[in-house]
């Protein structure tokens, strides 16, 4: 999903809790895949672009771009135990979140 940057931290936690419910069975084997910006995870030029997108998100929407520390806190608050961030899509990263 590439929608979490549109939402506040509290809303992201609520969305991810629902995702966790959907993938959890008796044994948590699933994962949530997120494609979103992780500020600071790319080159200097990408970092500047990420900051401009963050400014746009704050002005136009109630969302924001997040760094790894912000994402980690959201994942923890949503009940996930671990995650992997792979900056493979230009300014965006592939994030895998596990229950």
């Amino acid at each position: 999903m590439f929608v979490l940057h549109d939402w506040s931290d509290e809303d992201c936690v609520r969305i991810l809790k629902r995702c966790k419910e959907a993938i959890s069975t008796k044994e948590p084997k699933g994962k949530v895949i997120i494609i979103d910006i992780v500020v600071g995870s790319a080159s200097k030029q990408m970092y500047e672009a990420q900051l401009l997108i963050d400014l746009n998100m704050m002005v136009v929407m109630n969302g924001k771009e997040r760094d790894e520390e912000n994402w980690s806190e959201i994942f923890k608050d949503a009940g996930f135990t671990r995650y992997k961030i792979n900056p493979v899509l230009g300014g965006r990263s592939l994030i895998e979140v596990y229950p």
Side-chain angles (χ1 to χ4, degrees), residues 5-6 11 17 31 48 62 90 92:
H5 73 158
D6 292 345
D11 289 331
K17 281 182 178 180
K31 65 181 171 182
E48 292 170 356
N62 190 29
R92 296 183 185 127

Side-chain angles (χ1 to χ4, degrees), residues 2-35:
F2 182 60
V3 297
L4 294 178
H5 73 158
D6 292 345
W7 300 95
S8 69
D9 290 350
E10 296 79 19
D11 289 331
C12 285
V13 168
R14 192 170 63 247
I15 291 166
L16 287 170
K17 281 182 178 180
R18 295 297 301 266
C19 292
K20 185 174 182 270
E21 289 173 15
I23 64 168
S24 293
T25 60
K26 291 183 180 184
E27 292 183 44
K29 293 182 179 181
K31 65 181 171 182
V32 175
I33 296 175
I34 303 165
I35 297 174

